[in-house]
Amino acid sequence: MLDVKGLARLVGGGAEEGAKIQRQMTLPWGDAFRISLRNVTIRLGRAFITASGIVLGIAFLSSVWTGAVIQEGLERSERAHLEELAQATAVGGADEKSTQDLIAAAEQARKSRASRQAWLVVMSLLVCGVGITNAMLMSVTERFQEIGTMKCLGALDNFIVRLFLIEAALLGVLGSLLGALLGHMAMLGIFAIRERTFSVAAKMDWSQMLFYLVIAVLIGTVLSLIAAIAPAIRAARMRPAVALQSEI
Amino acid sequence: MAKVKCPECGEEIETTGIITVCPGCNADMRHVMEEVGHERAERMKTIARDDSVTTHEFIVRTRDLRKIYVMGEVEVPALRDVDLDVRRGEYLSIMGPSGSGKSTLFNMIGGLDKPTGGRCFIEEVDMAQLDAFELAWLRCRKIGYIFQTFNLIPVMTALENVTLPMIFAGMGTDEMMDRGRELLELVGLDDRLDHKPYELSGGQQQRVAVARALANAPAIILADEPTGNLDLQTGKEIIDLLKELNQESGVTVISATHDLKMIDVSDRIVHIRDGEVERIEHRADLKLEIGTLGSEIEDAE
Ligand SMILES: Nc1ncnc2c1ncn2[C@@H]1O[C@H](COP(=O)(O)OP(=O)(O)OP(=O)(O)O)[C@@H](O)[C@H]1O
Ligand SMILES: [Mg+2]
């Protein structure tokens, strides 16, 4: 009665197909990507709410970095101006000491701001992490039924995880791209208003800025992947009966 | 479901093949229906397939099957020592009041949940011995599930819903599309291939679900109150469809239900109450005891 080998018979059952082919259970990456993309595009409103955690967090991060790059650009031009002034005064033999003081003071201010900025970056990453984790948790929980159904149709646990990770990566890339741009433009706008000129944009180091934006998008994507792993695995491991029964 | 044209008045009628007169002009439709029936019967034969090398008499068996839900301090016994043998090719209905354990039994037989005690065999294979992969394999190819709430994937079209289990089974794209179309045509939805579930009526969604359950030619169809969310007529269509499949392709149908219409088509009816098998009726017996059946219907209503 206890017939473990019985399944082999079941599995090898298809007379025309070999047992190997019959044993196969697959979810090709192409199909997985198509399904995940569909989940994002069709539930665009829902996807946007999920992504809003990412957008906000990365916008914060990107604004902090944009501020830093602008500030640096401004200081660089100011320092160049001061050094010019110092040279001029040195030639004139006048108050050399006070311009040197000014340069030193500016350096001091830059250092203290750098440490404050590090804190801001850490804070923004925290905001980002919490927002994304929450969003991913919700997007998984509200689809328990669907996960249960897929498992009834023969999905292995790792198919479910795969679908959610692809979706998280898509949301991560799109959300953090949007967030990075928003934060960047907001900060640029704020500085332009404060300095009453758009020359802030001309003074900043654009290659460095681009580097920061890319890093911000990377961070957003990686964070959303990390945040999705735990709930996705937990959901995938649920017994189908439990997943099917859960009400939203 | 099939579309037929009335030879007299030319009216297009969508039917499972049960009508005998044209609703438009009252013309006799019997010979037309017979033709349709023959045609469908031929196609139905291959749509579900029991390809086990060994053919045990009983396709599903349970022994002392027990399930106890633990909710905090309280233990809720949902199944108590259920012994059930389901014959290959049988149409079995599980009836019982709400909370009697029908869905729980459905979950155990379908490998969707683990029993607290006892055993459940499919083709004499003890399900407790299967690993995750084998269980997924079983769900994918041996069993087709139908739910009260249809459970279609909302972002996918009818055709994509039907082909999803075929993706899991590793079927090639062309074969998959052809089979998906054929299945949807058989359930009368060939003009709804690209519709999303929310664009379909309840009955249509359930027909997509039936087509999906047949995706990998299962040996067993498990249905948990398949007509529970449908009106009388639509429910009847689904029942007829299941019966047709059962008769033509020999697929075993196990259906939990409150629906008394199911009595007509079932080979056996298992009545459960408080998680125990109360009694089992055979259709043969039922026919002899029409009186009993009548009183039972009154009881239930
Ligand atoms: N996940 C669960 N946790 C705790 N108790 C449960 C759970 N699922 C079912 N039960 C209990 O088990 C018993 C049987 O439930 P089941 O869902 O099998 O009934 P049913 O016959 O399908 O009822 P219905 O006709 O209303 O669908 C009920 O008393 C129910 O409260
Ligand atoms: Mg139920």
Side-chain angles (χ1 to χ4, degrees), chain A residues 245, chain B residues 69-71 76-78 96-105 148 224-225 258 272:
Chain A
Q245 220 171 35
Chain B
Y69 291 108
V70 182
M71 306 206 304
V76 184
S98 185
S100 54
K102 299 184 295 293
S103 299
T104 310
L105 184 58
Q148 176 174 0
D224 190 3
E225 306 201 25
H258 291 297
I272 67 172

mmCIF file of all heavy atoms in Angstrom, chain A residues 245, chain B residues 69-71 76-78 96-105 148 224-225 258 272, ligand 1:
data_model
loop_
_atom_site.group_PDB
_atom_site.id
_atom_site.type_symbol
_atom_site.label_atom_id
_atom_site.label_comp_id
_atom_site.label_asym_id
_atom_site.label_seq_id
_atom_site.Cartn_x
_atom_site.Cartn_y
_atom_site.Cartn_z
ATOM 1 N N GLN A 245 -7.281 30.218 1.264
ATOM 2 C CA GLN A 245 -8.306 30.562 2.241
ATOM 3 C C GLN A 245 -8.212 32.009 2.710
ATOM 4 O O GLN A 245 -9.218 32.591 3.117
ATOM 5 C CB GLN A 245 -8.172 29.638 3.451
ATOM 6 C CG GLN A 245 -9.492 29.177 3.994
ATOM 7 C CD GLN A 245 -9.304 28.096 5.039
ATOM 8 O OE1 GLN A 245 -8.333 28.118 5.799
ATOM 9 N NE2 GLN A 245 -10.205 27.154 5.086
ATOM 10 N N TYR B 69 -7.951 21.479 13.044
ATOM 11 C CA TYR B 69 -7.411 22.841 13.003
ATOM 12 C C TYR B 69 -7.195 23.306 14.431
ATOM 13 O O TYR B 69 -8.076 23.153 15.278
ATOM 14 C CB TYR B 69 -8.375 23.796 12.307
ATOM 15 C CG TYR B 69 -8.503 23.552 10.826
ATOM 16 C CD1 TYR B 69 -9.652 22.997 10.293
ATOM 17 C CD2 TYR B 69 -7.459 23.895 9.964
ATOM 18 C CE1 TYR B 69 -9.769 22.784 8.928
ATOM 19 C CE2 TYR B 69 -7.568 23.680 8.608
ATOM 20 C CZ TYR B 69 -8.723 23.130 8.089
ATOM 21 O OH TYR B 69 -8.833 22.924 6.743
ATOM 22 N N VAL B 70 -6.034 23.855 14.702
ATOM 23 C CA VAL B 70 -5.767 24.375 16.038
ATOM 24 C C VAL B 70 -5.797 25.895 15.959
ATOM 25 O O VAL B 70 -5.052 26.506 15.209
ATOM 26 C CB VAL B 70 -4.394 23.904 16.553
ATOM 27 C CG1 VAL B 70 -4.157 24.421 17.949
ATOM 28 C CG2 VAL B 70 -4.326 22.391 16.519
ATOM 29 N N MET B 71 -6.729 26.471 16.722
ATOM 30 C CA MET B 71 -6.797 27.929 16.757
ATOM 31 C C MET B 71 -6.570 28.374 18.184
ATOM 32 O O MET B 71 -7.491 28.350 18.994
ATOM 33 C CB MET B 71 -8.156 28.411 16.276
ATOM 34 C CG MET B 71 -8.498 27.842 14.908
ATOM 35 S SD MET B 71 -9.620 28.870 13.997
ATOM 36 C CE MET B 71 -10.982 29.021 15.088
ATOM 37 N N VAL B 76 -10.331 22.455 16.494
ATOM 38 C CA VAL B 76 -11.543 22.237 15.694
ATOM 39 C C VAL B 76 -11.346 21.003 14.828
ATOM 40 O O VAL B 76 -10.556 21.026 13.888
ATOM 41 C CB VAL B 76 -11.824 23.448 14.776
ATOM 42 C CG1 VAL B 76 -13.138 23.249 14.035
ATOM 43 C CG2 VAL B 76 -11.824 24.732 15.569
ATOM 44 N N PRO B 77 -12.034 19.911 15.149
ATOM 45 C CA PRO B 77 -11.908 18.736 14.289
ATOM 46 C C PRO B 77 -12.750 18.919 13.036
ATOM 47 O O PRO B 77 -13.972 19.022 13.122
ATOM 48 C CB PRO B 77 -12.438 17.589 15.149
ATOM 49 C CG PRO B 77 -13.275 18.221 16.194
ATOM 50 C CD PRO B 77 -12.964 19.682 16.273
ATOM 51 N N ALA B 78 -12.102 19.002 11.883
ATOM 52 C CA ALA B 78 -12.840 19.243 10.641
ATOM 53 C C ALA B 78 -13.109 17.939 9.899
ATOM 54 O O ALA B 78 -14.103 17.806 9.206
ATOM 55 C CB ALA B 78 -12.060 20.200 9.746
ATOM 56 N N GLY B 96 -23.024 18.074 2.083
ATOM 57 C CA GLY B 96 -23.061 18.250 3.525
ATOM 58 C C GLY B 96 -23.325 19.699 3.842
ATOM 59 O O GLY B 96 -23.062 20.568 3.018
ATOM 60 N N PRO B 97 -23.838 19.941 5.031
ATOM 61 C CA PRO B 97 -24.112 21.331 5.401
ATOM 62 C C PRO B 97 -22.831 22.147 5.507
ATOM 63 O O PRO B 97 -21.739 21.598 5.539
ATOM 64 C CB PRO B 97 -24.807 21.212 6.756
ATOM 65 C CG PRO B 97 -24.452 19.875 7.272
ATOM 66 C CD PRO B 97 -24.199 18.999 6.097
ATOM 67 N N SER B 98 -23.004 23.456 5.592
ATOM 68 C CA SER B 98 -21.847 24.342 5.710
ATOM 69 C C SER B 98 -21.048 23.998 6.956
ATOM 70 O O SER B 98 -21.624 23.774 8.020
ATOM 71 C CB SER B 98 -22.345 25.783 5.772
ATOM 72 O OG SER B 98 -21.257 26.651 5.766
ATOM 73 N N GLY B 99 -19.736 23.936 6.809
ATOM 74 C CA GLY B 99 -18.882 23.638 7.951
ATOM 75 C C GLY B 99 -18.728 22.159 8.235
ATOM 76 O O GLY B 99 -18.126 21.775 9.234
ATOM 77 N N SER B 100 -19.252 21.299 7.348
ATOM 78 C CA SER B 100 -19.181 19.864 7.604
ATOM 79 C C SER B 100 -17.830 19.274 7.222
ATOM 80 O O SER B 100 -17.535 18.133 7.562
ATOM 81 C CB SER B 100 -20.292 19.148 6.834
ATOM 82 O OG SER B 100 -20.229 19.493 5.469
ATOM 83 N N GLY B 101 -17.009 20.045 6.520
ATOM 84 C CA GLY B 101 -15.667 19.561 6.195
ATOM 85 C C GLY B 101 -15.459 19.234 4.726
ATOM 86 O O GLY B 101 -14.468 18.596 4.375
ATOM 87 N N LYS B 102 -16.342 19.706 3.858
ATOM 88 C CA LYS B 102 -16.208 19.400 2.426
ATOM 89 C C LYS B 102 -14.921 19.994 1.856
ATOM 90 O O LYS B 102 -14.156 19.300 1.206
ATOM 91 C CB LYS B 102 -17.411 19.969 1.657
ATOM 92 C CG LYS B 102 -18.744 19.402 2.083
ATOM 93 C CD LYS B 102 -19.872 19.924 1.232
ATOM 94 C CE LYS B 102 -20.101 21.415 1.359
ATOM 95 N NZ LYS B 102 -20.583 21.832 2.686
ATOM 96 N N SER B 103 -14.727 21.283 2.126
ATOM 97 C CA SER B 103 -13.530 21.930 1.580
ATOM 98 C C SER B 103 -12.273 21.314 2.173
ATOM 99 O O SER B 103 -11.248 21.195 1.485
ATOM 100 C CB SER B 103 -13.554 23.428 1.863
ATOM 101 O OG SER B 103 -14.672 24.012 1.261
ATOM 102 N N THR B 104 -12.346 20.950 3.435
ATOM 103 C CA THR B 104 -11.183 20.338 4.079
ATOM 104 C C THR B 104 -10.826 19.025 3.380
ATOM 105 O O THR B 104 -9.656 18.774 3.075
ATOM 106 C CB THR B 104 -11.475 20.095 5.566
ATOM 107 O OG1 THR B 104 -11.994 21.283 6.134
ATOM 108 C CG2 THR B 104 -10.233 19.683 6.302
ATOM 109 N N LEU B 105 -11.828 18.227 3.079
ATOM 110 C CA LEU B 105 -11.607 16.965 2.381
ATOM 111 C C LEU B 105 -11.036 17.227 0.981
ATOM 112 O O LEU B 105 -10.095 16.562 0.546
ATOM 113 C CB LEU B 105 -12.930 16.191 2.288
ATOM 114 C CG LEU B 105 -12.873 14.795 1.679
ATOM 115 C CD1 LEU B 105 -11.906 13.914 2.450
ATOM 116 C CD2 LEU B 105 -14.258 14.165 1.652
ATOM 117 N N GLN B 148 -15.008 27.517 -6.176
ATOM 118 C CA GLN B 148 -16.258 28.273 -6.119
ATOM 119 C C GLN B 148 -16.058 29.694 -6.638
ATOM 120 O O GLN B 148 -16.919 30.260 -7.288
ATOM 121 C CB GLN B 148 -16.761 28.296 -4.671
ATOM 122 C CG GLN B 148 -18.004 29.133 -4.479
ATOM 123 C CD GLN B 148 -18.549 29.006 -3.064
ATOM 124 O OE1 GLN B 148 -18.000 28.288 -2.237
ATOM 125 N NE2 GLN B 148 -19.627 29.701 -2.797
ATOM 126 N N ASP B 224 -14.607 22.321 -5.890
ATOM 127 C CA ASP B 224 -15.169 22.710 -4.592
ATOM 128 C C ASP B 224 -16.297 23.698 -4.832
ATOM 129 O O ASP B 224 -16.060 24.857 -5.143
ATOM 130 C CB ASP B 224 -14.080 23.334 -3.723
ATOM 131 C CG ASP B 224 -14.560 23.520 -2.284
ATOM 132 O OD1 ASP B 224 -15.699 23.107 -1.971
ATOM 133 O OD2 ASP B 224 -13.796 24.085 -1.479
ATOM 134 N N GLU B 225 -17.519 23.227 -4.740
ATOM 135 C CA GLU B 225 -18.702 24.040 -4.993
ATOM 136 C C GLU B 225 -18.585 24.854 -6.281
ATOM 137 O O GLU B 225 -18.651 26.082 -6.248
ATOM 138 C CB GLU B 225 -18.957 24.971 -3.804
ATOM 139 C CG GLU B 225 -19.042 24.169 -2.532
ATOM 140 C CD GLU B 225 -19.761 24.895 -1.417
ATOM 141 O OE1 GLU B 225 -20.575 25.779 -1.728
ATOM 142 O OE2 GLU B 225 -19.512 24.566 -0.256
ATOM 143 N N HIS B 258 -23.395 21.942 -2.474
ATOM 144 C CA HIS B 258 -24.687 22.002 -1.790
ATOM 145 C C HIS B 258 -25.790 21.757 -2.803
ATOM 146 O O HIS B 258 -26.951 21.692 -2.466
ATOM 147 C CB HIS B 258 -25.004 23.425 -1.299
ATOM 148 C CG HIS B 258 -24.166 23.922 -0.203
ATOM 149 N ND1 HIS B 258 -24.145 23.337 1.022
ATOM 150 C CD2 HIS B 258 -23.344 24.994 -0.119
ATOM 151 C CE1 HIS B 258 -23.340 24.041 1.807
ATOM 152 N NE2 HIS B 258 -22.835 25.042 1.140
ATOM 153 N N ILE B 272 -21.543 14.055 4.153
ATOM 154 C CA ILE B 272 -20.743 14.177 5.370
ATOM 155 C C ILE B 272 -21.366 15.193 6.311
ATOM 156 O O ILE B 272 -22.056 16.133 5.898
ATOM 157 C CB ILE B 272 -19.253 14.512 5.101
ATOM 158 C CG1 ILE B 272 -19.081 15.898 4.509
ATOM 159 C CG2 ILE B 272 -18.621 13.500 4.203
ATOM 160 C CD1 ILE B 272 -17.616 16.262 4.431
HETATM 161 N N1 LIG C 1 -8.073 27.359 8.407
HETATM 162 C C1 LIG C 1 -8.951 26.970 9.344
HETATM 163 N N2 LIG C 1 -8.706 27.215 10.642
HETATM 164 C C2 LIG C 1 -9.551 26.802 11.579
HETATM 165 N N3 LIG C 1 -10.695 26.145 11.356
HETATM 166 C C3 LIG C 1 -11.005 25.870 10.086
HETATM 167 C C4 LIG C 1 -10.160 26.277 9.011
HETATM 168 N N4 LIG C 1 -10.724 25.874 7.854
HETATM 169 C C5 LIG C 1 -11.873 25.261 8.190
HETATM 170 N N5 LIG C 1 -12.055 25.259 9.531
HETATM 171 C C6 LIG C 1 -13.177 24.646 10.244
HETATM 172 O O1 LIG C 1 -13.310 23.314 9.815
HETATM 173 C C7 LIG C 1 -14.659 22.976 9.642
HETATM 174 C C8 LIG C 1 -14.923 22.495 8.239
HETATM 175 O O2 LIG C 1 -14.737 23.551 7.334
HETATM 176 P P1 LIG C 1 -14.879 23.400 5.772
HETATM 177 O O3 LIG C 1 -14.409 24.657 5.160
HETATM 178 O O4 LIG C 1 -14.227 22.157 5.342
HETATM 179 O O5 LIG C 1 -16.461 23.269 5.625
HETATM 180 P P2 LIG C 1 -17.341 23.166 4.300
HETATM 181 O O6 LIG C 1 -18.104 21.906 4.390
HETATM 182 O O7 LIG C 1 -16.501 23.364 3.116
HETATM 183 O O8 LIG C 1 -18.329 24.380 4.476
HETATM 184 P P3 LIG C 1 -18.943 25.339 3.349
HETATM 185 O O9 LIG C 1 -20.052 24.565 2.733
HETATM 186 O O10 LIG C 1 -19.448 26.505 4.131
HETATM 187 O O11 LIG C 1 -17.854 25.688 2.407
HETATM 188 C C9 LIG C 1 -15.457 24.216 10.018
HETATM 189 O O12 LIG C 1 -15.921 24.039 11.333
HETATM 190 C C10 LIG C 1 -14.470 25.332 9.946
HETATM 191 O O13 LIG C 1 -14.763 26.304 10.908
#
